[in-house]
Amino acid sequence: MDDKPVDKDYILNELNEIHKLDYNYSDGRILGSMCTEAHPFAKEVYCKFLDTNLGDPGLFKGTKLIENKVIKSIGELLSIDEPYGNIVTGGTEANIMAMRAARNHARKYKGIHDGEIIVPASAHFSFKKAADMLNLKIVEAELDENYRIDINSVKNLISDKTVAIVAIAGTTELGLIDPIEEISKIAFENNIYFHVDAAFGGFSIPFLRSMGFDLPQFDFSLEGVCSITVDPHKMGLAPIPAGGILFRKEEYLDVMAVDSPYLTVKTQSTIVGTRMGASSAATYAIMKYLGKEGYSKLAEQLMDNTKFLKEGLEDLGYELVCEPELNIVAFNHPNMETNVLAQKLEDLGWKVSVSKCPVAIRIVLMNHIKKSHLKELLEDLKEII
Ligand code: 0PR
C-alpha cells in the first residue's frame, strides 16, 4: 500500500489499463459463458443498494422486504405461491444451501449421519464442493444415451443413506433438461429430498414453455421437488453476483438455522453472514422492468440464434452432439480432434469452451452473442472445414 493518498485519476488510469486485459461481452467473442452483460437498469439499481446488508435484516427492513418479494416473484415462475429462500452469490452457494438443508433434514428426521447424495454425471462441480464441505458422499448416477440422468441408475443407487437426489434443468455442458417429473415421483415415493438445479434454465424454461416450446416440467408443480436453484446472474440479466435458492417449505431453512445472538434477528440460515442486498434490489428491478414479456422475447430470440447456429453448423458438415433443448450448442468437426479445432478458433480470436462429457466445442448462446457474431463464426468454421 502507498504511504500517501494517491490521486483518483491516477488510480482510475491504472485500473483502466489493467481492465483492458479482460474480454468484453460486447465483442461477441465469449462463447462459453453463462453470464452476460447485466441490463443497464439493473446495474443502476445495484449501485443504489451497495451498502445494504441482508446479514442483519433488521437494519435493512426495506431491502429484506425486496428480497422476499423477489423470491415470491421467482416462485410464481416456478409454480409455488409461498416459497422460502434467498438471493445468494450464485448457483454454487444455492446448491450448497440445498445440500445442507437436505443433509440437516435427514439428520434431524431420519437420523442419517453419513449421508449420500445421488447426482447425475452431468452435474456442475459445485456439488463436489458441497459434498466436500458437508461431509456427504457423492453417488454418481449414469446418463442415458441422450446425456440425461438415467432413471434406473437413480433407482438402483437409492440406499438408507441417501439424503438427496439432484437433477438438472439446463445442464452446464449441453443445456439439457433431465426427466425431472419421473425423478420427482421416485424421490416422493421414497421420501427423499429432491433438488433441481435450474441455475441456467430457471429463467428461460418457464417462458419458453408458455410460448409453446416442447419442454418438460421441472418445477414445484411436481410434488417431489423440495428446492430449486435459479440464477438471476445467468439468464436473468442481473449483475453478478445473483444466485437464487427457493425451498418448498420453511422447515428446510429452519434445519439450517444457527443462533445469531447480537443481530436484529435471532437466527440465520444462509451460509454467508454479511451479504449483498444490492443483488436482490437489482434482480427485483430487472424482473419488474422486463416482465414476462421481456424475458419471453429474450428467451425466444436466444432460441432463434441457437437454431441459426445449429443449422449453419449442419450445413457446413459439423456434427452436433445432441439436439439443443435450450440455448447451448455442442458440436465437433467430422474428422478433427476437438482440442485442435478449439485451438484454431482461439487463434482466430474466439473464446471457446470445450465440454468433457462428451468432448465437444460448446457454445452458450447468451445475449451478448448476436447473429452478426454467429455469421462471422460460421465463416471461420467454413474456412476450417
Ligand atoms: N449449476 C449449473 C447448472 C451451472 O451451470 C453452474 C455454473 C452452477 C450451478 C454454478 O453457478 P455459479 O458459477 O453461479 O456458482 N455454470 C457455469 C460454469 O461454471 C458458469 C459459467 C459462467 C461458466 C461464466 C463460464 C463463464 O465464463 O461452468
Side-chain angles (χ1 to χ4, degrees):
M1 194 191 279
D2 297 278
D3 288 333
K4 297 263 182 227
V6 175
D7 186 61
K8 270 190 201 167
D9 287 338
Y10 179 89
I11 301 169
L12 286 174
N13 273 337
E14 183 191 343
L15 289 175
N16 282 340
E17 277 310 305
I18 302 174
H19 198 17
K20 283 183 189 155
L21 292 173
D22 296 343
Y23 288 92
N24 291 313
Y25 291 117
S26 57
D27 293 341
R29 298 258 149 179
I30 300 180
L31 302 178
S33 170
M34 280 187 177
C35 293
T36 191
E37 191 171 352
H39 193 284
F41 182 50
K43 292 193 221 184
E44 187 186 324
V45 172
Y46 190 93
C47 293
K48 285 194 200 300
F49 283 76
L50 267 183
D51 296 323
T52 61
N53 169 22
L54 286 176
D56 205 356
L59 299 182
F60 298 96
K61 288 203 174 82
T63 307
K64 180 60 199 163
L65 204 70
I66 297 172
E67 183 182 46
N68 294 346
K69 275 162 153 307
V70 177
I71 294 298
K72 193 160 164 68
S73 304
I74 299 176
E76 200 190 301
L77 292 177
L78 303 179
S79 313
I80 187 167
D81 288 337
E82 227 185 298
Y84 299 87
N86 297 99
I87 295 299
V88 295
T89 52
T92 300
E93 191 184 343
N95 286 339
I96 294 171
M97 271 182 80
M99 293 303 98
R100 181 164 173 243
R103 183 199 63 171
N104 291 8
H105 200 266
R107 190 162 64 195
K108 182 168 178 188
Y109 294 103
K110 298 183 185 168
I112 303 177
H113 285 275
D114 47 354
E116 298 176 351
I117 52 175
I118 300 175
V119 167
S122 53
H124 184 256
F125 51 78
S126 47
F127 290 99
K128 291 194 176 141
K129 297 182 187 176
D132 185 42
M133 293 163 81
L134 298 165
N135 215 6
L136 293 165
K137 185 178 163 202
I138 289 199
V139 183
E140 207 170 84
E142 286 166 22
L143 303 185
D144 63 17
E145 67 282 5
N146 298 313
Y147 305 105
R148 292 183 182 84
I149 194 168
D150 184 85
I151 298 168
N152 284 323
S153 172
V154 173
K155 279 187 190 159
N156 292 336
L157 291 172
I158 292 176
S159 80
D160 302 346
K161 294 182 178 175
T162 310
V163 301
I165 301 174
V166 173
I168 310 169
T171 56
T172 304
E173 294 201 322
L174 302 177
L176 298 175
I177 305 169
D178 282 328
I180 289 169
E181 188 166 0
E182 288 82 346
I183 305 287
S184 167
K185 270 196 198 121
I186 296 168
F188 193 76
E189 280 163 15
N190 288 278
N191 188 26
I192 296 171
Y193 187 103
F194 179 38
H195 174 65
V196 175
D197 181 358
F200 180 60
F203 259 96
S204 63
I205 302 169
F207 305 110
L208 292 170
R209 270 174 61 90
S210 48
M211 279 185 289
F213 280 73
D214 182 21
L215 298 174
Q217 292 236 49
F218 76 106
D219 64 15
F220 288 107
S221 59
L222 306 169
E223 59 186 349
V225 174
C226 301
S227 55
I228 303 182
T229 289
V230 41
D231 284 354
H233 74 195
K234 294 191 170 72
M235 291 291 288
L237 297 190
I240 299 169
I245 178 68
L246 272 72
F247 294 99
R248 183 187 287 279
K249 298 184 202 158
E250 196 169 17
E251 69 189 52
Y252 296 128
L253 284 177
D254 293 343
V255 293
M256 292 194 279
V258 297
D259 292 340
S260 49
Y262 42 81
L263 298 187
T264 50
V265 285
K266 292 199 170 57
T267 63
Q268 196 171 82
S269 298
T270 47
I271 295 168
V272 173
T274 299
R275 61 190 185 90
M276 60 293 152
S279 302
S280 283
T283 304
Y284 179 82
I286 192 60
M287 284 183 74
K288 209 153 173 80
Y289 186 70
L290 292 178
K292 287 186 184 141
E293 191 182 302
Y295 281 114
S296 299
K297 259 191 208 150
L298 174 70
E300 191 178 30
Q301 188 191 315
L302 298 183
M303 287 312 291
D304 187 54
N305 286 352
T306 303
K307 186 162 173 269
F308 177 79
L309 176 64
K310 172 197 124 94
E311 289 173 356
L313 288 166
E314 283 172 337
D315 288 348
L316 291 175
Y318 284 89
E319 291 167 358
L320 260 68
V321 163
C322 59
E323 195 56 35
E325 206 168 15
L326 296 175
N327 46 321
I328 298 186
V329 174
F331 66 97
N332 274 306
H333 190 283
N335 42 37
M336 186 187 287
E337 289 270 332
T338 309
N339 283 332
V340 177
L341 175 57
Q343 191 55 54
K344 281 188 191 290
L345 288 169
E346 286 277 338
D347 294 344
L348 290 164
W350 299 98
K351 299 310 298 168
V352 296
S353 158
V354 175
S355 66
K356 213 178 102 196
C357 177
V359 176
I361 304 281
R362 153 187 178 274
I363 297 184
V364 189
L365 289 114
M366 298 300 288
N367 194 36
H368 57 270
I369 305 178
K370 307 295 178 199
K371 260 214 180 98
S372 57
H373 302 124
L374 293 177
K375 283 180 188 158
E376 284 174 42
L377 176 65
L378 287 168
E379 277 304 313
D380 284 347
L381 285 164
K382 189 174 170 186
E383 288 293 314
I384 293 172
I385 210 154

